[in-house]
Amino acid sequence: MMDQNTEQNADTCSGDHSERKSHHSDKVKNSLISRLNRIEGQVRGIKGLIEKDTYCDDVLNQIASVQSALNGVGKLLLEHHMKSCVVQRIQEGDQEVLTELMTTMNKLIK
């Protein structure tokens, strides 16, 4: 017998690609949104630096900071994806999720 949380995961991780959705806790979702809001502000700041003809090295350092912050968001999202959808789909016998995961990881580490 599936518990309520597993049933919710089954509804969101399995099935047609167009039907799948994430199922993050409010805490994780709020953390991701907060990080992305900060990154959005950093990107706007970089745009402002370029508009002000700021020294290139300073702009490049800010770009590196944004890339690092995006990597942090990606790591957090990947961790939660692996602990939820990937595990669940493997338990259901769906081995295709491993190919999907490897494709995604290859894109992340380019």
Side-chain angles (χ1 to χ4, degrees):
M1 180 174 181
M2 284 199 260
D3 62 29
Q4 183 178 9
N5 191 34
T6 304
E7 286 178 7
Q8 288 174 340
N9 291 351
D11 290 341
T12 56
C13 290
S14 303
D16 187 325
H17 288 280
S18 64
E19 298 295 322
R20 290 188 300 182
K21 292 185 178 181
S22 295
H23 49 85
H24 305 292
S25 68
D26 286 342
K27 180 180 177 182
V28 171
K29 186 185 280 190
N30 289 337
S31 175
L32 290 168
I33 290 169
S34 176
R35 288 173 179 230
L36 289 169
N37 285 338
R38 273 186 258 125
I39 292 166
E40 185 178 23
Q42 287 178 290
V43 170
R44 280 193 305 271
I46 291 170
K47 180 181 175 188
L49 293 175
I50 300 236
E51 290 170 344
K52 294 176 191 173
D53 296 320
T54 302
Y55 185 62
C56 294
D57 191 57
D58 295 336
V59 176
L60 291 168
N61 284 324
Q62 290 301 311
I63 290 171
S65 177
V66 168
Q67 288 172 329
S68 178
L70 278 172
N71 286 340
V73 170
K75 288 176 190 176
L76 181 62
L77 194 55
L78 180 61
E79 175 186 351
H80 287 277
H81 177 57
M82 290 176 70
K83 288 180 176 179
S84 58
C85 288
V86 173
V87 168
Q88 180 208 329
R89 287 177 59 191
I90 288 171
Q91 289 172 344
E92 292 172 351
D94 181 356
Q95 297 298 310
E96 182 184 322
V97 70
L98 296 175
T99 302
E100 178 186 285
L101 179 62
M102 291 307 300
T103 300
T104 299
M105 289 180 70
N106 284 329
K107 289 176 184 176
L108 283 172
I109 61 174
K110 272 189 176 180

